[in-house]
Amino acid sequence: MSFPKGFLWGGATAANQYEGGWNEGGKGPSTADMLTNGTHTTPRKITRTWEDGLYYPNHIASDFYHHYKEDIALMGEMGFKVFRMSIAWSRIFPKGIEEEPNEEGLRFYDEVFDELHKQGIEPLVTISHYESPFYLTEKYNGWASRELVDLYVKYCNVIFNRYKDKVKYWLTFNEINCGTMPLGGYLGLGILNEGTTDFMNQKDDPQLRFQGLHHQFIASAKAVKLGHEINPDFKIGCMIAFMTSYPYSCNPKDVLKCQKEMQMGNYYCGDVQVRGEYPYFAKQYWKENNIQIQMEEGDEALLKEGKVDFYSFSYYMTNCVSTDPNLEGIGGNLIGGVKNPYLKASDWGWQIDPDGLRYTLNELYARYQVPLMVVENGLGAFDKLEEGNKVHDSYRIDYLREHIKCMEEAIEDGVDLIGYTPWGCIDLVSASTGEMGKRYGFVYVDSDDYGNGSFNRYKKDSFTWYKKVIASNGENLE
Ligand code: BG6
């Protein structure tokens, strides 16, 4: 038996892509509510107000807001030990600046957590998953302003106190390292610079982005300290989009280029949040990119005091890095890269690499020596609803099975892996494209890319398979 007793099997979602009810129960608009739909080839748009004739898929999403009892019952039936979800900040503070929280919003999550506990499921809550109140973007240009630190800590204070006996596991920011890339400007930091209309091609200001990231690091450290004061049993983690890159060849120039990409893309943020200080290579990067980080007195000490308890990450794919500009490129989560001739890719061009997960787990554990959790993994695919409301998703089972085997091998290698929550366990809206048709779930949600459908839930073949995996603690993968 490789998976330890008490291993946290479950699934993951995020409010902005799953919850819907975007203007119900006193919720304010969030940054995600301003995103139109797109496709693999047509980028989403960011609009400052809702424009006629455009569709905003996060508004309804999977309508968990009205289906939570049914959905949580399905999770219970699969045997989930943990459910990763996020709280919509603008459901608690509609504009982000109010003195008092929105009681109706707080009550909604009370009901969700109670329902989870009825099913014996532990919530794992992302405090900010790719959304913040849109008002904060309008007023402060999002995390570019240090004002957001206190507003975020106020929000944390409210939810930590309210749910201190219902929630033990917290993540401060989803994929915080997206802020090291231009795409993360709006997605993770709520920064909307003059002239930006296209989600995939934002007007980028690295100075604002890296300063914004510093504000998030400070906010995260403050939240960790505060959370531990409120309940010393809280386990508070970071969450990184881990995008493993391999040198395309053994040409030392490729190896060096790859090392640099790994440092800034993957390690920069984790190092701050786990080790409590900026890594040595940060200074050179700032210098080369003309970035001046404004630090206040006490910031360095704070980063040290607010180190996270565990490291969580998403893992979907890997890419190659090369100095040769003529090689064929390929897409990926947040960034693309050079195509790897040994790997196959999903319909969205994300290369499937289970061995890379074992490699990544070993690299991460060697670096940080704190418990690890894989809080996103999975295959986005077109599913077909067949007669009798069946979905035969053997491709998804294959993907997950191979990744679970590699996690098991990593545990045998000695890695302290404590949980696994595959992404979009119940179908939800894609973050990159806004499509409903890019599905990850064990449960099919009957809605199309425009929110047409009954929103009925149907179990896919992977549902029964995953239930057996959990019941056997990862032994039965057939
Ligand atoms: C991660 C995000 O980057 O990948 C999720 O944390 C996202 O929010 C997931 O949905 C899958 O990406 P996509 O673009 O297929 O939805």
Side-chain angles (χ1 to χ4, degrees):
M1 262 270 195
S2 290
F3 286 98
K5 200 166 163 262
F7 187 78
L8 294 167
W9 296 98
T13 60
N16 81 89
Q17 291 161 258
Y18 180 51
E19 196 174 277
W22 74 291
N23 58 2
E24 291 179 61
K27 180 180 169 293
S30 77
T31 47
D33 291 326
M34 318 312 285
L35 288 171
T36 67
N37 61 335
T39 65
H40 188 23
T41 45
T42 321
R44 307 183 75 175
K45 297 253 171 268
I46 310 168
T47 63
R48 282 183 189 266
T49 178
W50 304 284
E51 294 177 16
D52 285 346
L54 296 181
Y55 182 64
Y56 297 84
N58 301 63
H59 289 187
I60 308 182
S62 309
D63 200 26
F64 175 69
Y65 194 69
H66 298 109
H67 289 257
Y68 68 92
K69 287 197 178 159
E70 181 186 349
D71 285 4
I72 292 169
L74 287 163
M75 293 170 201
E77 195 181 329
M78 274 187 279
F80 278 22
K81 313 286 177 218
V82 66
F83 172 50
R84 178 177 176 228
M85 54 176 276
S86 70
I87 293 182
W89 183 350
S90 64
R91 201 176 278 295
I92 308 302
F93 288 102
K95 287 176 148 178
I97 52 153
E98 297 84 350
E99 287 295 315
E100 293 301 322
N102 170 32
E103 176 57 31
E104 204 175 336
L106 287 168
R107 222 177 307 120
F108 170 66
Y109 294 109
D110 264 320
E111 286 167 21
V112 169
F113 298 142
D114 291 346
E115 209 59 33
L116 285 167
H117 286 297
K118 265 194 233 161
Q119 296 284 347
I121 302 172
E122 193 74 56
L124 160 62
V125 173
T126 316
I127 299 168
S128 174
H129 188 131
Y130 286 166
E131 64 178 322
S132 43
F134 187 65
Y135 182 81
L136 300 180
T137 292
E138 294 281 51
K139 187 163 168 72
Y140 297 116
N141 205 12
W143 283 94
S145 162
R146 191 156 176 137
E147 296 284 337
L148 265 77
V149 173
D150 286 347
L151 296 171
Y152 174 89
V153 174
K154 179 175 72 173
Y155 160 52
C156 289
N157 192 25
V158 166
I159 58 175
F160 285 165
N161 276 301
R162 176 83 171 211
Y163 307 126
K164 62 176 182 297
D165 301 321
K166 297 186 183 186
V167 179
K168 177 175 164 192
Y169 294 99
W170 302 88
L171 303 174
T172 52
F173 290 95
N174 179 64
E175 296 190 338
I176 190 167
N177 58 321
C178 75
T180 63
M181 298 152 221
L183 179 66
Y186 185 71
L187 183 65
L189 294 157
I191 294 174
L192 187 52
N193 294 321
E194 221 24 71
T196 291
T197 51
D198 184 330
F199 178 62
M200 286 293 173
N201 190 16
Q202 299 169 30
K203 299 281 174 227
D204 185 37
D205 182 341
Q207 168 63 34
L208 285 189
R209 235 184 330 110
F210 278 87
Q211 185 64 43
L213 257 183
H214 180 70
H215 297 148
Q216 290 194 332
F217 294 147
I218 293 299
S220 172
K222 285 190 169 195
V224 171
K225 278 185 71 180
L226 176 71
H228 288 152
E229 278 162 30
I230 293 172
N231 185 346
D233 290 337
F234 276 1
K235 298 282 178 220
I236 309 175
C238 62
M239 196 310 200
I240 307 289
F242 211 93
M243 295 154 303
T244 299
S245 298
Y246 305 129
Y248 183 77
S249 77
C250 50
N251 177 347
K253 300 258 184 267
D254 283 358
V255 177
L256 270 173
K257 188 175 176 197
C258 184
Q259 183 180 49
K260 285 256 166 286
E261 285 204 6
M262 290 290 286
Q263 285 177 340
M264 281 313 294
N266 294 304
Y267 292 125
Y268 179 86
C269 297
D271 283 6
V272 176
Q273 291 186 288
V274 179
R275 294 172 162 171
E277 60 186 21
Y278 278 102
Y280 71 91
F281 51 80
K283 285 209 178 86
Q284 182 61 10
Y285 183 86
W286 295 337
K287 203 166 116 197
E288 282 170 6
N289 291 278
N290 216 0
I291 292 165
Q292 273 99 33
I293 303 288
Q294 302 291 320
M295 297 222 194
E296 286 189 1
E297 218 186 307
D299 278 6
E300 281 178 341
L302 237 167
L303 294 178
K304 275 261 175 257
E305 289 158 11
K307 291 192 273 185
V308 293
D309 302 311
F310 67 98
Y311 181 105
S312 83
F313 66 105
S314 60
Y315 177 91
Y316 291 93
M317 35 60 63
T318 61
N319 275 327
C320 292
V321 171
S322 171
T323 45
D324 178 350
N326 300 316
L327 293 170
E328 191 182 344
I330 190 141
N333 187 21
L334 304 182
I335 50 160
V338 169
K339 194 169 173 196
N340 185 332
Y342 299 98
L343 301 177
K344 294 205 171 81
S346 77
D347 288 337
W348 279 262
W350 297 18
Q351 298 182 121
I352 301 168
D353 183 9
D355 289 317
L357 178 55
R358 177 179 179 185
Y359 168 75
T360 302
L361 282 163
N362 274 275
E363 287 293 297
L364 283 172
Y365 196 54
R367 193 178 186 99
Y368 297 127
Q369 280 133 30
V370 295
L372 304 178
M373 213 190 282
V374 178
V375 293
E376 286 186 34
N377 173 240
L379 181 71
F382 293 108
D383 288 337
K384 196 160 172 261
L385 189 64
E386 310 221 23
E387 223 183 283
N389 298 321
K390 303 271 184 235
V391 178
H392 303 301
D393 55 345
S394 55
Y395 37 89
R396 180 167 296 110
I397 297 175
D398 290 343
Y399 177 102
L400 295 169
R401 181 195 295 117
E402 295 313 308
H403 284 80
I404 293 173
K405 278 189 196 159
C406 290
M407 291 193 311
E408 192 171 1
E409 285 162 1
I411 292 171
E412 281 163 13
D413 294 334
V415 170
D416 183 10
L417 177 65
I418 59 171
Y420 179 58
T421 57
W423 178 245
C425 50
I426 295 185
D427 288 344
L428 41 66
V429 168
S430 157
S432 56
T433 67
E435 293 162 291
M436 192 70 198
K438 188 182 187 189
R439 296 172 187 271
Y440 287 87
F442 303 111
V443 173
Y444 185 93
V445 174
D446 178 30
S447 161
D448 68 10
D449 289 342
Y450 291 88
N452 303 306
S454 64
F455 287 82
N456 284 344
R457 273 58 175 155
Y458 301 117
K459 297 172 199 171
K460 305 183 194 175
D461 288 355
S462 55
F463 181 100
T464 322
W465 172 81
Y466 194 46
K467 185 177 170 176
K468 279 193 276 181
V469 172
I470 299 178
S472 64
N473 199 26
E475 283 285 285
N476 183 356
L477 298 177
E478 290 321 309

